[in-house]
């Protein structure tokens, strides 16, 4: 569908930092650049709003979310509340196949270059996808699709904030944080895994406000 193509194109552009926080997303301009109708662009933008990647402003159209400490701290608070619970369930319920998927997802993440030439100062699309898959795989052992759908929504809503955080804290040891998560989960140490995940998410939240946790 054309709206899907427009959505993916605009999502990638925002994630790359092609559009600044708070920048207007003008349907007419976007339609002209991509050679599609206004209806197609508006459909894509409405989906962007639903996924937390754009704002709909009264009488002012659409815009990239403005940078707001409060906004992103609320997103991260939700993740710190819910994801450790899912991880505990995964550690308790996950089978051998889950363990194998966690190892494979972490291996892929560890071997994927974080930055690719020509993709801007943010993490590459390949690394970002490997990062998402690793975190979701950790939680999939919970066996509850409703909870996993909640994770999916929170991840999409927080992805832009995470990229901004990564851009502002380039010296952060993501590799070490992910390794500790994998080790604790596969050791079936629910307390250590949950603690590592909370720390990981707290560092992301702290990066958005330039404060150490």
């Amino acid at each position: 569908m054309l709206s899907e193509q427009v959505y993916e194109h605009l999502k990638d552009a925002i994630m790359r930092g092609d559009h600044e926080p708070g920048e207007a997303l003008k349907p007419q301009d976007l339609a002209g650049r991509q050679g599609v109708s206004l209806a197609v662009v508006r459909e894509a933008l409405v989906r962007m709003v639903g996924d937390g990647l754009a704002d709909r402003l009264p009488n002012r159209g659409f815009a990239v979310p403005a940078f707001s400490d409060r906004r992103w701290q609320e997103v991260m608070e939700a993740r710190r509340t819910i994801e450790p619970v899912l991880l505990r369930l995964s550690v308790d319920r996950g089978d051998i196949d889950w363990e194998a998927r966690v190892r494979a997802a972490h291996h892929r993440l560890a071997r994927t270059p974080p930055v690719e030439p020509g993709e801007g100062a943010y993490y590459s699309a390949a690394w970002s996808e490997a990062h998402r898959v690793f975190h979701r795989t950790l939680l999939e052992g919970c066996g509850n699709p409703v909870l996993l759908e909640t994770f999916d929504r929170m991840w999409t809503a927080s992805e832009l904030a995470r990229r901004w955080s990564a851009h502002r804290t380039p010296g952060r040891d993501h590799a070490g944080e992910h390794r500790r998560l994998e080790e604790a989960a596969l050791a079936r140490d629910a307390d250590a895994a949950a603690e590592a995940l909370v720390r990981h998410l707290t560092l992301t939240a702290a990066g958005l406000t330039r404060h150490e946790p």
Side-chain angles (χ1 to χ4, degrees), residues 151-163:
F151 164 80
D152 290 337
R153 288 194 298 272
M154 289 192 302
W155 182 273
T156 300
S158 68
E159 179 65 1
L160 182 57
R162 189 201 62 75
R163 288 214 179 185

Side-chain angles (χ1 to χ4, degrees), residues 5 15-16 33 113 115 130 135 141 150 157 164 187-188 196-197 207 212:
Q5 294 175 18
M15 291 299 181
R16 285 195 306 269
R33 286 199 295 269
V115 179
H135 275 271
T150 301
W164 283 342
R188 302 290 178 159
L197 181 55
E212 291 299 324

Side-chain angles (χ1 to χ4, degrees), residues 37 53 56 63 90 118 160 183 187-188:
S37 68
L53 295 172
R56 190 165 196 169
S90 285
L160 182 57
E183 291 172 349
R188 302 290 178 159

Side-chain angles (χ1 to χ4, degrees), residues 122 160-170 172 203-208:
Y122 296 84
L160 182 57
R162 189 201 62 75
R163 288 214 179 185
W164 283 342
S165 173
H167 182 62
R168 294 169 66 179
T169 55
R172 183 175 166 190
L203 285 169
T204 297
L208 293 172

Side-chain angles (χ1 to χ4, degrees), residues 50-116:
D51 287 344
L53 295 172
D55 286 339
R56 190 165 196 169
L57 309 176
N59 303 317
R60 293 172 55 196
F62 300 90
V64 177
F67 187 87
S68 164
D69 286 346
R70 179 177 180 180
R71 176 195 186 108
W72 302 122
Q73 294 302 320
E74 288 173 348
V75 172
M76 298 311 298
E77 180 180 45
R79 290 189 61 189
R80 287 198 303 267
T81 300
I82 295 172
E83 290 181 36
V85 175
L86 271 68
L87 184 54
R88 286 181 178 275
L89 289 173
S90 285
V91 169
D92 180 57
R93 299 174 179 176
D95 57 15
I96 294 176
D97 288 339
W98 169 74
E99 291 183 2
R101 293 198 304 275
V102 169
R103 285 198 182 278
H106 180 257
H107 180 76
R108 177 188 174 194
L109 177 60
R111 293 299 183 92
T112 301
V115 179
E116 292 287 353

